[in-house]
């Protein structure tokens, strides 16, 4: 196992997450719901995974578009506290308008309303990968990869491994996804996303390694020659926003250091457990898993 955690670049959209927690019920058309739990946080899968990788001791960088005022100011505390390198980020033109997600969390589930704006991330060149000596590139959502597939060629040209989360998109089709997913070293959909992909005609073994995040049911790993499972960790849940992205960081950190796949799954579940105990996908003051009052299901 390496004595130094490999440096990782995460790429993808950076959202300002407006998160409402403790909802008595989900909103329905023609009604109004009240709750006291609210916060504005930096969000998006690329940022959350990058922030957790930094907490796990990696030199972690983010390539994303930084939003204009006032949303940039709302996210600045999280961006600063994360200690990730933002030098490969670029400003999102104010003319593009806000890139935000409204997240509504009730118990262990949540719903999102999201507005995308502009490009997903700045152009990444071979020189960028070489300069920072990245060993791995993580893509926050598969739509970002489809929009800019050149990132795969850049990574492969310097022998960097590549992973991607799935993310939700009503327009996913097998024809659109298969060419990209099949080139990944690790593909990390959640259970709901996996069902949509399978219904569109894709195999359950899509990347070289496919990891299905199943929330309170744990996680399942599928490869060409094996199927592994790991149980969830039961904790008091504050907000599940970004739990899957935190899982990605835990899994990838151990995978990049050569741990067994079973150990990687368990590390992913542990990191997801840390994330759900606070509001938002990342907290600089989250309680380490070793100090949580947990019980494996």
């Amino acid at each position: 196992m390496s004595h130094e955690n490999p440096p990782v670049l995460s790429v993808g959209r950076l959202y300002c997450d407006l998160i409402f927690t403790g909802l008595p019920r989900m909103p329905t058309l023609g009604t109004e719901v009240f709750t006291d739990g609210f916060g504005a946080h930096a969000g998006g899968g690329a940022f959350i995974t990058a922030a957790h990788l930094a907490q796990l001791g990696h030199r972690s960088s983010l390539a994303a578009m930084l939003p204009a005022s006032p949303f940039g100011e709302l996210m600045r505390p999280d961006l600063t506290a994360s200690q990730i390198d933002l030098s490969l980020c670029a400003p999102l033109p104010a003319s593009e308008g806000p890139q935000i997600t409204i997240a509504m969390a009730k118990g262990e589930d949540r719903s999102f309303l999201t507005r995308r704006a502009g490009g997903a991330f700045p152009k990444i060149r071979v020189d960028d990968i070489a300069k920072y000596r990245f060993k791995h590139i993580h893509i926050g959502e598969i739509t970002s990869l489809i929009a800019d597939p050149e990132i795969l060629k850049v990574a492969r040209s310097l022998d960097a491994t590549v992973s991607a989360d799935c993310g939700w998109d009503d327009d996913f089709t097998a024809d659109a996804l298969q060419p990209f997913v099949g080139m990944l070293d690790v593909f990390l959909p959640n259970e709901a996303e996996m069902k949509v992909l399978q219904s569109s005609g894709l195999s359950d073994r899509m990347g070289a390694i496919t990891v299905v995040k199943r929330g309170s049911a744990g996680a399942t790993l599928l490869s060409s020659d094996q199927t592994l499972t790991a149980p969830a960790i039961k904790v008091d849940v504050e907000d599940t926003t970004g739990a899957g992205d935190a899982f990605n960081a835990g899994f990838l950190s151990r995978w990049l250091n050569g741990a067994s796949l079973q150990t990687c799954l368990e590390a992913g579940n542990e990191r997801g457990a840390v994330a759900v105990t606070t509001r938002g996908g990342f907290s600089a003051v989250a309680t380490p898993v070793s100090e949580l009052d947990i019980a494996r299901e």
Side-chain angles (χ1 to χ4, degrees):
M1 185 175 292
S2 172
H3 294 291
E4 180 180 355
N5 287 322
V8 180
L9 172 64
S10 298
V11 304
R13 292 184 180 275
L14 175 64
Y15 295 96
C16 181
D17 283 356
L18 306 178
I19 302 175
F20 296 84
T21 57
L23 275 68
R25 62 176 177 83
M26 286 295 179
T28 56
L29 289 176
T31 70
E32 188 169 5
V33 175
F34 295 88
T35 184
D36 293 330
F38 172 77
H41 300 274
F47 164 75
I48 295 171
T49 297
H52 282 274
L53 284 167
Q55 276 193 338
L56 290 167
H58 292 261
R59 179 161 57 81
S60 182
S61 298
L62 176 69
M65 306 303 295
L66 300 173
S69 179
F71 299 100
E73 285 78 2
L74 290 173
M75 292 190 293
R76 186 167 294 123
D78 283 349
L79 293 175
T80 301
S82 71
Q83 298 186 324
I84 59 178
D85 174 33
L86 302 177
S87 58
L88 291 177
C89 292
L92 182 69
S95 60
E96 296 285 358
Q99 182 160 264
I100 60 174
T101 290
I102 297 173
M104 295 164 284
K106 181 180 183 299
E108 296 186 4
D109 207 352
R110 70 272 190 264
S111 292
F112 301 107
L113 177 63
T114 296
R115 181 185 189 272
R116 292 172 177 159
F121 56 91
K123 184 66 68 177
I124 302 299
R125 298 173 175 82
V126 170
D127 289 348
D128 297 321
I129 307 298
K131 176 182 177 181
Y132 293 94
R133 303 188 303 279
F134 294 124
K135 300 301 182 185
H136 185 78
I137 295 178
H138 176 69
I139 300 164
E141 53 188 2
I142 201 72
T143 53
S144 296
L145 174 58
I146 293 172
D148 190 357
E150 189 68 23
I151 188 70
L152 273 173
K153 295 179 182 178
V154 170
R156 297 307 187 199
S157 70
L158 292 175
D159 296 323
T161 51
V162 183
S163 60
D165 201 305
C166 184
W168 187 270
D169 194 310
D170 287 340
D171 296 327
F172 279 152
T173 65
D175 289 343
L177 289 179
Q178 187 62 71
F180 301 100
V181 174
M183 296 178 68
L184 298 172
D185 296 289
V186 184
F187 182 47
L188 297 141
N190 66 31
E191 189 169 34
E193 293 159 352
M194 187 70 166
K195 289 179 179 177
V196 172
L197 298 180
Q198 289 176 308
S199 69
S200 73
L202 288 174
S203 164
D204 60 359
R205 287 168 167 79
M206 296 177 232
I209 296 172
T210 298
V211 182
V212 184
K213 297 165 287 187
R214 302 168 57 220
S216 61
T220 299
L221 182 146
L222 305 163
S223 68
S224 60
D225 60 351
Q226 62 182 324
T227 299
L228 301 172
T229 62
I233 297 173
K234 187 176 181 180
V235 295
D236 291 332
V237 176
E238 169 71 14
D239 172 29
T240 58
T241 302
D245 303 309
F247 174 101
N248 297 345
F251 181 94
L252 292 171
S253 179
R254 299 308 299 271
W255 182 73
L256 289 168
N257 277 300
S260 71
L261 293 177
Q262 186 66 46
T263 297
C264 295
L265 275 182
E266 292 168 359
N269 283 337
E270 289 179 355
R271 203 66 198 172
V274 169
V276 301
T277 59
T278 59
R279 186 177 58 222
F282 163 76
S283 171
V285 295
T287 304
V289 70
S290 60
E291 299 176 18
L292 290 175
D293 181 16
I294 62 176
R296 294 189 184 276
E297 295 188 346

